[in-house]
Structure formats: structure tokens, C-alpha cells
Amino acid sequence: MCIFSLLINSSCKNIIEKEGYVNVEGGKIWYKIVGEGDGIPLLILHGGPGSRSCSMIPGFSLLAKDRPVIFYDQLGSGNSDRPTDTTLWKTERFVNEIDLLRSALELDNLHILGHSCGSTFLIEYMITKQPKGVKSVIFSSPHISSPDWMADAKILLSQLPVNVQDTIFKYEALKNYNAPQYLAATDSFYVRHMSRKSWPIIPNIECENVPGFNDQIYEYMWGPTEFNITGTLKDFDRTADLDKITEPILFMAGEYDEARPETMYKYQKLSRNASVEIIDDAAHKTMIDQPEKVYEVISKFLKEVEKIK
């Protein structure tokens, strides 16, 4: 008798465990599968770099009503192995992780969502790998272009009280990113544009016993704060390649997102087959601020894609 995979309702495949590890270059990455619906599986790429998937699981798990949803921690993050070799922190290696995970979990057909820096690895995957079996792409509060991100940050910083702006600029000029005054000032930015509901983010049950944010990767690839890119991603820009993606695209961001809604519409115009959804009363962490609305938007998009296909 054939044993059906939990993920793909085709014939006689290996049993896929709902939680486990996959070998990649540099170590093992952790994954978790939620839901067993009939829809095409959805793979979630968390942000950071150096963040973790656990904070996203409650919100995005609402989509498991319709389909399997696969979460995973990138190498160096969350429950995955944490090597300290900086040569591993390359976009190409993170992109290769996706193929290795797809192969291990037999994800022949899937949708992929990249949140924040997860979108960086997702667009790189779509452009450089031109993968088969990807039915749609969701760029959630995406980092597609470092120049665009910095331009958005400059606009949002200009809207802060003048004394807060002065504090941020003062300590950035000094490169003193740990000064209490600087940290308090950056929190003024994050409470507006990172999460309207919970800042600092209140850990949920999924995050119990999960190692925290990996500052080494974040600072190496990104920089000291969300609005100061000094790492290896400083010159990253894939806006000119958006039209190379032929699959349906959804750009989604919060009303108060640091990935500004105006930029989402710019990306839509540069793409072949894209739509935009802005989540009201939400910031960067849309799945925390407005999980039900996020479910409605993404679920509708995925079902429309599957109807077409």
C-alpha cells in the first residue's frame, strides 16, 4: 500500500516528517510543517538576516487551514545550526538552501513567501535558479533593493521628532550603536514601523527555548540598525530583474511598514504579473499586527493562482 506524503498528494513518496532537519552547506537547518490541506504547499522564508521563523508561525499558520505551510530557520538562525564562519553568509548559499530543502521535503510544486530579507533570498532564487514548480511568489514587506530601502528609511526618519532624529544622527556619526540614547531613539522608529501591536516583540509559545536573534549574521550582511546598511547587502538591487519573474507575484506591506507602500506600487509597475495589497494599521510585522487580514489577503491570492493553473 502506498504511503502518501504529508505534503504532496501524488503517488508513493517517502514519509515526510512534520518537523526535522535538512543538511545544507555549513550544517543543518530546522523546518516545521503545519497543516494538511489540499492546497499547494506554501514555503515561508523569514527575514533578518539572522532572525528566526518562530515569531511568524502563529500568524502565517492561519494559512494552514487550506494547505501545508512550511517554516524553516536559515542556517545560523533559530533552531538551525549556528556556525561562526562568515564565509557562509553569502546570498548564494542561502539561495542554495531553498533547493536543498525543496528536495528533502519533495516540494515539487509550491508557492514561496519571503518576508523582509527573506524576499532578498527569494528574488535571488527566482532570478538565478529559474526554478520549476514555483506557482507564485509573495514578497512580504520586501527588501528588493538596498538603495530603495535606504530611501524609504530616510523619509520615515524625517517624520520622527527632531530631537529623536538628532540623537540617531549623532550616534551614527560616532558609530556608537550601543549608546542607551541611541537605542531609545531607534526604538522610536521601530514602534512606528516594525510592529504597531508589539514592540519589543513579545515572544510566543513557538519561540520558547529557541535561540534568539543572531547579531553576527545581521551585522555582517546588513548593519547596526534597520535603516543603516553597512554590510555585504549594501549594494543589493534586483529591481531591474523583476520583469524576469513570469510567475504571479503579490507585493504585500503594512500601512506603516518600513518597506513603504509607495515602493510596493513601484515594484508592481516593474513586474509582469503583480498585484499589491497594503495591510491597514500594520507595520513591518504584518503577520503579528493583523494576522486575520494577512490570512485573507494571501489565501485569496493563492486560491486565485491555483484556479488559473
Side-chain angles (χ1 to χ4, degrees):
M1 181 178 178
C2 292
I3 299 175
F4 287 89
S5 165
L6 291 174
L7 294 183
I8 306 171
N9 50 7
S10 57
S11 62
C12 299
K13 295 200 175 186
N14 296 326
I15 296 176
I16 305 297
E17 298 294 337
K18 286 194 171 184
E19 185 172 351
Y21 292 86
V22 172
N23 289 315
V24 300
E25 180 188 355
K28 294 181 179 180
I29 58 171
W30 172 88
Y31 72 87
K32 180 174 183 176
I33 303 166
V34 180
E36 300 178 25
D38 295 330
I40 295 170
L42 171 65
L43 177 65
I44 307 283
L45 280 64
H46 68 73
S51 187
R52 51 189 187 170
S53 61
C54 62
S55 64
M56 307 164 68
I57 291 177
F60 282 139
S61 286
L62 296 179
L63 293 158
K65 300 173 186 177
D66 310 316
R67 67 192 66 251
V69 180
I70 303 97
F71 300 90
Y72 80 99
D73 288 332
Q74 297 150 14
L75 188 70
S77 303
N79 286 310
S80 294
D81 286 347
R82 294 194 168 210
T84 57
D85 181 1
T86 57
T87 64
L88 294 168
W89 311 140
K90 295 179 180 178
T91 302
E92 181 182 4
R93 197 212 56 78
F94 284 103
V95 166
N96 290 337
E97 273 188 355
I98 302 172
D99 268 342
L100 292 170
L101 185 68
R102 284 188 66 182
S103 178
L105 301 185
E106 299 178 0
L107 292 169
D108 299 330
N109 296 291
L110 78 167
H111 305 281
I112 310 181
L113 181 153
H115 178 72
S116 194
C117 192
S119 290
T120 309
F121 304 139
L122 175 53
I123 191 169
E124 196 72 7
Y125 179 66
M126 297 302 296
I127 299 303
T128 62
K129 297 284 188 176
Q130 298 184 353
K132 296 180 179 179
V134 178
K135 302 304 180 184
S136 76
V137 176
I138 301 172
F139 293 121
S140 169
S141 304
H143 170 251
I144 302 290
S145 161
S146 292
D148 284 349
W149 191 278
M150 290 300 293
D152 281 349
K154 185 176 180 180
I155 291 170
L156 297 177
L157 284 169
S158 72
Q159 297 169 359
L160 294 174
V162 174
N163 64 318
V164 175
Q165 294 182 52
D166 290 343
T167 300
I168 290 173
F169 298 146
K170 171 185 176 181
Y171 287 98
E172 287 196 344
L174 295 171
K175 296 185 178 181
N176 184 356
Y177 306 116
N178 295 314
Q181 299 92 328
Y182 180 75
L183 295 175
T186 56
D187 272 343
S188 296
F189 180 90
Y190 294 147
V191 77
R192 289 169 171 80
H193 304 297
M194 185 63 74
S195 174
R196 308 284 285 189
K197 183 178 180 180
S198 172
W199 187 262
I201 300 294
I202 300 172
N204 59 60
I205 192 170
E206 296 285 351
C207 290
E208 288 185 3
N209 302 315
V210 178
F213 196 94
N214 190 329
D215 291 321
Q216 182 203 30
I217 303 175
Y218 183 78
E219 292 176 9
Y220 182 82
M221 296 189 73
W222 188 263
T225 65
E226 286 292 283
F227 43 81
N228 189 353
I229 309 176
T230 58
T232 58
L233 290 172
K234 184 175 182 179
D235 298 320
F236 184 87
D237 190 348
R238 280 292 191 180
T239 52
D241 298 308
L242 280 166
D243 67 346
K244 295 179 182 177
I245 300 175
T246 58
E247 294 79 6
I249 297 173
L250 171 63
F251 293 103
M252 184 182 73
E255 178 183 3
Y256 302 100
D257 210 314
E258 54 184 335
R260 296 172 66 239
E262 292 83 352
T263 303
M264 300 306 102
Y265 289 109
K266 169 187 171 179
Y267 293 158
Q268 181 188 28
K269 292 178 181 178
L270 294 172
S271 305
R272 290 192 185 190
N273 182 16
S275 56
V276 173
E277 291 286 349
I278 304 303
I279 308 300
D280 292 341
D281 197 26
H284 195 58
K285 299 287 188 178
T286 53
M287 80 298 297
I288 291 176
D289 288 352
Q290 297 290 345
E292 292 288 348
K293 180 62 176 176
V294 167
Y295 163 73
E296 292 172 9
V297 165
I298 296 178
S299 179
K300 179 182 177 182
F301 170 74
L302 295 180
K303 288 177 180 178
E304 287 177 350
V305 169
E306 289 169 8
K307 192 182 300 182
I308 294 171
K309 296 292 182 180

